[in-house]
Amino acid sequence: MKKLSMLLCVVVSLSLLLLGCSQENKKEIETKEKGGSSLKSIEGKWEGSIQIPNQPLPIIVQFSSKGGTISIPVQGGDQYPLSNVKLIDSSLSFSMDIQGQHITFNGKVEGEKITGTFKQQGQSLPFELMKASDDKAEEVGEAVQIELKDGTMQGVLTTPQGNGPFPIMIIIAGSGPTDKDGNSAALPGKNDSLKMLAKDLAAHGVASIRYDKRGIGQNVNLGGKEEDMRFDHFIKDASSWVEFAKGDKSFSKVGIIGHSEGSLIGMIAASETDADAFISIAGVGRLIDQVLLEQLEGQMPENLLQESKDILDKLKIGEEVQSVSTELQSLFRRSVQPYMISWLQYNPQEQLQKLDIPVFIVNGDRDIQVPVTDAEVLHKAKKDSELFIVEGMNHVLKEAPEDREGNIATYSNPTLPLAKGLMDNIIGFLEKNEVLQK
């Protein structure tokens, strides 16, 4: 079943593109523009991805009149200089040299969109960039921060009007480069789903904190080295926000809302911190290896699929795999295996059963990433939970048409409101369980 695996499979999809890049490599490189058009027409920030099999690799390219830089947020690659940036009519090309490898991008500029081919070591992959809006997005809330062992983590606090104390929900975003607002660097445009969720909660008397995960957005500096990353880092971060809220007398009760991968993170954090309520939205009900294999079936030859199964079997028992086929390096390279081992230790059904607090499980019946069956599996695992299926809602919490193309189009449309019935039922759940006083 071919799904938008870009949002489900988090760290396992990172490529080898900028591994080993360091700040020392960031020396100025002259741009060769002779015989070409002025780069002023494309100046600014462009966001998009390289279409690596099974999961696009998000990239950010900043063009100036003198050249440009490229950043890869999920790998910590920040503003690496480009060379040979040329624009001839609508044909654009630029390149970069890393550790003896010559990497090229060749594409076409069509208004606010650039499409073309990325080449590295004889491999060719499509890439796409969209011009980022110059308009500053309206922030919903005020800046807050917590101190962690490895640095300061930034977040946004949104509070209702009037006098507190208010109940507060910690909102945990989904997988990959998904930020605190619910937007992914792997996709052009924005949907602002989690920002809307925070705004609507406040309208009903519920405060919230949402934050960029470590390695993303405001907290990119907390990403660290890929080989040192563990799933437990995300759990501890979420737990720290819960403890932060519990220590503030402005808040009466503290709950968690976990979206997509944030559901698993949230249910574990809820157990560790004695949160007052837990809401899972579009949360996966199975171990991640099952989800990954489901996504790989039909997308690769049988020999590679079998190798993937064998690798995952070893990772599940805590064994790293020394030899991985070239075609599977983007998924199972050595540096990402420790993270996957730590992730595979958590079974969503088992973790949910540990909770002795009100639990609400929500899913949309037009979610093409996490099907309704996952919500049903979670509900079955914890029979005293409440289950609600939102009619017409997709993975980004918007009402979506049945056709796949139309569904995906909503991922990049911030003007669409949250699906009808979502907020009413969330608020109803909080009131029923006395997290929010009527």
Side-chain angles (χ1 to χ4, degrees), residues 18 35 49 54 95 100 119 177 190 200 215 220 231 238 260 278 310 330 364 367 386 394 398 406 414 434:
L18 287 186
S49 60
N54 304 312
S95 61
K119 293 184 178 181
K190 300 179 178 181
D200 286 358
V220 65
F231 194 75
S260 192
F278 173 66
D310 295 339
S330 64
D367 191 326
E386 296 183 41
N394 68 0
K398 306 294 182 73
E434 300 182 347

Side-chain angles (χ1 to χ4, degrees), residues 293 297 302 304-313:
L293 288 173
E297 288 178 357
E302 184 60 35
L304 292 179
L305 183 61
Q306 184 59 53
E307 182 181 352
S308 299
K309 292 178 180 178
D310 295 339
I311 291 172
L312 286 167
D313 284 343

Side-chain angles (χ1 to χ4, degrees), residues 53 59 108 137 139 173 249 254 271 295 327-328 334 365 378:
I59 58 174
K108 289 283 185 180
E139 188 54 272
K249 294 182 180 179
V254 183
S271 176
Q295 294 168 353
E327 296 90 338
L328 295 177
R334 289 293 305 281
D365 64 2
L378 289 174

Side-chain angles (χ1 to χ4, degrees), residues 138-313:
E138 174 193 3
E139 188 54 272
V140 177
E142 60 183 88
V144 288
Q145 62 184 40
I146 54 175
E147 295 301 325
L148 305 173
K149 289 183 178 180
D150 50 355
T152 301
M153 175 166 272
Q154 306 293 330
V156 175
L157 167 65
T158 305
T159 54
Q161 293 183 349
N163 299 319
F166 304 106
I168 186 169
M169 304 300 292
I170 309 301
I171 301 174
I172 307 173
S175 62
T178 304
D179 66 17
K180 62 182 179 294
D181 293 334
N183 303 316
S184 173
L187 293 170
K190 300 179 178 181
N191 61 72
D192 284 344
S193 56
L194 300 186
K195 179 191 287 189
M196 292 179 180
L197 183 61
K199 189 174 182 179
D200 286 358
L201 284 170
H204 287 86
V206 182
S208 66
I209 289 176
R210 64 192 197 281
Y211 60 97
D212 294 328
K213 292 171 299 182
R214 56 178 57 229
I216 301 296
Q218 290 181 312
N219 298 315
V220 65
N221 292 333
L222 292 173
K225 296 180 180 179
E226 184 175 79
E227 58 267 29
D228 296 331
M229 183 65 72
R230 301 293 184 273
F231 194 75
D232 302 271
H233 286 124
F234 297 118
I235 297 170
K236 290 178 181 178
D237 293 342
S239 297
S240 296
W241 282 112
V242 173
E243 297 296 350
F244 168 82
K246 281 192 167 190
D248 192 326
K249 294 182 180 179
S250 301
F251 310 119
S252 53
K253 294 190 176 182
V254 183
I256 295 176
I257 297 178
H259 176 250
S260 192
E261 182 196 55
S263 170
L264 177 57
I265 295 170
M267 65 179 71
I268 302 170
S271 176
E272 294 183 351
T273 59
D274 294 323
D276 295 300
F278 173 66
I279 299 176
S280 169
I281 304 179
V284 173
R286 298 159 290 159
L287 281 165
I288 193 58
D289 64 318
Q290 298 174 31
V291 178
L292 180 58
L293 288 173
E294 182 180 85
Q295 294 168 353
L296 294 179
E297 288 178 357
Q299 298 187 45
M300 59 174 51
E302 184 60 35
N303 65 313
L304 292 179
L305 183 61
Q306 184 59 53
E307 182 181 352
S308 299
K309 292 178 180 178
D310 295 339
I311 291 172
L312 286 167
D313 284 343

Side-chain angles (χ1 to χ4, degrees), residues 1 29 137 142 159 203 232 259 276 293 379 390 418 425 438:
M1 183 161 45
I29 299 179
E142 60 183 88
T159 54
D232 302 271
H259 176 250
D276 295 300
L293 288 173
H379 178 52
V390 185
L418 297 180
N425 281 274
K438 295 183 180 180

